[in-house]
Each structure stands twice: as structure tokens, then as C-alpha cells.
Amino acid sequence: KEDTKSIIGTIGVRDILNGMSSVEERIPTVAIGGINTQNIQLVKFKSKASTRGLDGVAVVSAIIAAPDPKIAARELRSLGSKPPSYIGSQSSQQKRLNDLLGGVNAVIREIGAKKPLCHNMTNLVVQNFAANVALAIQDGALIWTDSGSSPIMANNGDEAPELAALGGSLVINMGSVTPEAVLNYERAAKAYNSFNRPVLFDPVGAGATKLRRSAVKTLMAKSYFAVIKGNENEIGVLFGDTTTQQKGVDSNPSTSSDIDKATLARNLAAQERCVVVLTGKTDYISDGTRTYTMKNGSEYLGRITGSGCTLGTTIAACLAVYSEDPLLATLSGMLLYEIASERAGKRDDVKGPGTFVPALIDELYNVAKLTEKPGPGWFTWLGNAKVEAVQLKGKEEAKQITGSSK
């Protein structure tokens, strides 16, 4: 049947629950509409407000239409009583920044040891670049074997269940978006969620057109993303900004302060219970509890096509081998990529953007190789990390940046 009212989704449910927090008497609340065994955990997880969650769900079709309604009801109740298994354990919650940085080499070494599948659903413009970046990281960090999975550029969602079963990670890059592409993104995210494998979402140009805004709303409601990466405008749209009009895929000139950007990243991460990366001249990384700035990277990254897309590929490779700690995996991927870009930009053979791209691939390989085993360069490259902790207060207010990694 057709819906008689607009669908509010999990964000709408969360808003209602937040609004009810001011009521002294607790009012039991349930959600209804399209809930089944595939999404019941996601609905309950993403609907949870800051002070409370749903008390239950109402399910009709998924029970009545089942071959055995009793078994279906029992399975729904069992699934609804526990959180999704694909949610990261946040094992680094108590770690300080320097402790996190101390784990970066080990994460990158695991890429070479396991050579995980890195499944990219990305635009045609950067597919070759992304594949070469993934191979450079894997081969540079190679320790024990030349065998293993390769990066794959596969935009057909019907392939995702078989690929997700191989134990890698997925990048959904919304660079080339069509109604058919959105359906493929949905299928792929669903498959990777069901296999407890991490998904990175890059909402390219999220605020540029109605189609992209609609695609973002659909994907955010139906999928769980371990990491969301975007520029300031894109992250703003995901957090609910309906006024920004992006001019293409680039971010509009910013009028926000550093604290505003850090707070935006933190708030979206807390809302979605994931890691958020807000990219720019200064990058902001948050898991909703801890927030960091990163000031690494070559100026050439802003002068080539696909630098943001291939950063996503690098982070996803780290997620594939360290999905239990998405924050550490994200920091590892970003440091590898951005410090490699600095090394590439300083090379004598780099004369401009055209010679920078192959040099970047070379340096990704070279930096990954430095992590292979303890040696002269093992920690030297990480000595160039420019990461600081940001102390944020409350949902809207923040204070000065402290806690440099230098």
C-alpha cells in the first residue's frame, strides 16, 4: 500500500524522543512501519536519543507474511533485544592521543599481512587512481605473502553479498549519483552490514542537488556507516542543514571557526554513533567523544582530481584490518595518506600536479614499507604527525585546542 503520510525515518524518531525528554512522566514509545529482521536492530540503534531509546517496535507484515509467524516473532524479539554486531567496540575510548598514535604502525602492517579486499563503489573518474593507491598501500606494507585479495571497483550492488563475505571493507563514494546507483549503494551497504564489515560513506556533493540530498537521506536512514567523510558543506547537510547550496562537489568558502567545525564533526559523530572526518585545510576527526585536528597534507592534494576519494580508499583499507577500533583505523589511514602526500610534494622530481600523482603513489608505498619492521624509519615518518586534541563542552560549546602530538 502507499504511505498516507511522509516517512520520518530514524532521525525523525530520534527528534521525537529528544522532544519527550522534557516530559516528567516517561511515555512508552514504539515505532512502526517497514520494520523486519533485516533492519530492526538498525532502527532501534539509530533512533536512540541522548536520554532514551524506543521501548519497542510494532511489526505486522514481517510476521503475518512469514511461513511461520511464531518463529518470525521470536527472531524479531531476539534481534531487537541486542545492538547490531557491526557497531565498533570503541576499544580505544580510554586511550590518549599518543597511545593511539603508537598503534598506527601496527594497523598499517596488518594491511600487508592480510591484504584485505577493498571494495570501492566510486565514480569512473578516479577508479584507476583508487585501485593504484590501494595496491601501493598493500604491497608497501607486505610482510609475509604476495597472495591475497585485490582492490575491486564494483558498482553493482548485487555483487556485494559475495564480496562482503570475503571480509574486507566497502567505500560508497557518491561522486556519480543516479537513482539506480542509490539502489546499488543500498544493497551493498546492507550486505556489508549483515556480514559485520565496515562501510565508509563519502557523500560527495551532498548539498549540490535535490537528487543528492534525497540520496543522502535514504542512505543514512537505511545503513550504518563506520566512517563518514566529507567537506564542511557535506557534513553539514548530513547533520540537517537544508539551506546550503553547494556549487558542484567542492565546499563553499567557509565562514566557520575552527571550533565550529570541530563541534559539527563531533555532533554528527555522536548522532550517528560513528567516526566522522571533516576535511579541509585542517581536518577534524571525531568519534562523538573525542575530537582531533590534523594539519598534515600537501597543497597539491587540492589541485588534483580524486584526492578525497583516494583518502577514503586508504582509510577503508585500515578499517578492513582494524574494524574493532574505527577511530584508530581512521587516524592511521589519514596519517599514512597525508604524510605520504607531504613527502611526495617535496620531491625534486615533482614539478606540479601532473608529476605529483605518481609521486604520491610511490610515497604511499614507501611510507607503508617503513612500518614493515622496527628500523631507522619506523617511527621517523610519524614524527611528522600534526595531530591535536580538541576539548569540547556540551553539544554546542567548545574550548581551545590542546594536547598536541608534537
Side-chain angles (χ1 to χ4, degrees):
K1 62 180 186 298
E2 293 185 4
D3 297 310
T4 57
K5 297 181 180 179
S6 60
I7 299 171
I8 63 172
T10 53
I11 294 176
V13 173
R14 190 189 306 135
D15 289 342
I16 291 172
L17 292 173
N18 277 324
M20 293 170 63
S21 63
S22 60
V23 179
E24 290 186 12
E25 181 183 356
R26 181 181 175 87
I27 303 173
T29 309
V30 300
I32 186 171
I35 298 172
N36 53 50
T37 56
Q38 298 296 315
N39 63 19
I40 183 172
Q41 290 180 310
L42 187 66
V43 167
K44 293 194 70 176
F45 178 76
K46 298 195 74 171
S47 296
K48 189 175 182 181
S50 56
T51 58
R52 59 168 297 181
L54 287 168
D55 295 287
V57 296
V59 183
V60 180
S61 298
I63 295 176
I64 299 301
D68 189 324
K70 187 174 181 178
I71 292 177
R74 187 182 298 123
E75 183 179 8
L76 282 160
R77 181 170 183 172
S78 174
L79 289 169
S81 65
K82 52 191 175 185
S85 56
Y86 47 77
I87 305 302
S89 66
Q90 302 292 316
S91 61
S92 68
Q93 281 257 329
Q94 305 304 318
K95 291 182 181 178
R96 295 184 178 183
L97 176 56
N98 286 335
D99 294 328
L100 285 171
L101 293 175
V104 168
N105 277 298
V107 173
I108 298 171
R109 284 202 308 276
E110 280 295 286
I111 299 173
K114 296 181 178 177
K115 297 203 76 175
L117 177 76
C118 193
H119 178 185
N120 283 254
M121 301 185 79
T122 190
N123 58 82
L124 297 174
V125 176
V126 300
Q127 284 186 354
N128 181 67
F129 188 12
N132 282 325
V133 164
L135 284 171
I137 296 165
Q138 290 180 355
D139 290 343
L142 187 61
I143 300 175
W144 295 311
T145 175
D146 276 333
S147 65
S149 301
S150 299
I152 185 169
M153 309 291 128
N155 288 334
N156 189 330
D158 290 338
E159 292 185 283
E162 293 175 80
L163 295 174
L166 298 176
S169 61
L170 170 67
V171 177
I172 295 178
N173 179 294
M174 225 172 60
S176 302
V177 64
T178 64
E180 182 183 8
V182 175
L183 291 174
N184 282 315
Y185 299 154
E186 283 184 48
R187 295 188 190 110
K190 180 180 178 181
Y192 275 79
N193 283 171
S194 67
F195 278 95
N196 306 329
R197 301 309 305 158
V199 184
L200 181 146
F201 182 38
D202 191 344
V204 178
T209 64
K210 289 182 179 178
L211 175 61
R212 289 176 185 270
R213 287 182 182 274
S214 176
V216 162
K217 185 176 181 180
T218 297
L219 292 169
M220 293 292 285
K222 295 185 177 182
S223 312
Y224 174 73
F225 302 112
V227 176
I228 297 172
K229 183 194 75 68
N231 60 39
E232 182 184 352
N233 290 157
E234 292 158 354
I235 298 301
V237 169
L238 267 63
F239 193 60
D241 179 3
T242 59
T243 60
T244 297
Q245 177 64 54
Q246 277 185 263
K247 295 179 180 179
V249 301
D250 295 323
S251 186
N252 298 337
S254 177
T255 59
S256 303
S257 68
D258 290 343
I259 292 300
D260 290 337
K261 295 174 187 176
T263 303
L264 174 59
R266 189 278 309 273
N267 288 350
L268 181 62
Q271 174 181 287
E272 297 301 321
R273 298 171 178 85
C274 68
V275 173
V276 168
V277 178
L278 191 158
T279 58
K281 186 174 182 180
T282 297
D283 299 316
Y284 300 84
I285 310 102
S286 181
D287 66 352
T289 301
R290 293 152 304 159
T291 304
Y292 303 107
T293 61
M294 185 180 296
K295 296 184 179 180
N296 289 101
S298 168
E299 63 178 13
Y300 285 124
L301 290 174
R303 293 181 168 87
I304 62 172
T305 298
S307 60
C309 304
T310 49
L311 171 60
T313 298
T314 307
I315 295 171
C318 294
L319 282 170
V321 298
Y322 222 77
S323 60
E324 66 270 24
D325 195 339
L327 180 67
L328 175 56
T330 300
L331 281 171
S332 300
M334 292 186 69
L335 284 169
L336 170 59
Y337 188 87
E338 299 201 4
I339 291 177
S341 77
E342 292 176 347
R343 291 164 59 108
K346 294 175 182 176
R347 283 172 40 159
D348 292 339
D349 58 333
V350 171
K351 308 299 182 183
T355 47
F356 172 73
V357 172
L360 173 59
I361 295 172
D362 285 347
E363 291 305 321
L364 283 166
Y365 176 90
N366 291 333
V367 172
K369 202 164 186 63
L370 290 175
T371 70
E372 183 176 319
K373 58 183 179 180
W378 200 41
F379 287 108
T380 302
W381 76 276
L382 267 179
N384 295 317
K386 300 173 184 175
V387 184
E388 297 181 334
V390 185
Q391 304 301 321
L392 299 175
K393 292 163 48 179
K395 189 173 182 180
E396 304 296 341
E397 187 180 2
K399 61 182 181 181
Q400 81 256 17
I401 296 173
T402 60
S404 172
S405 67
K406 297 293 285 180

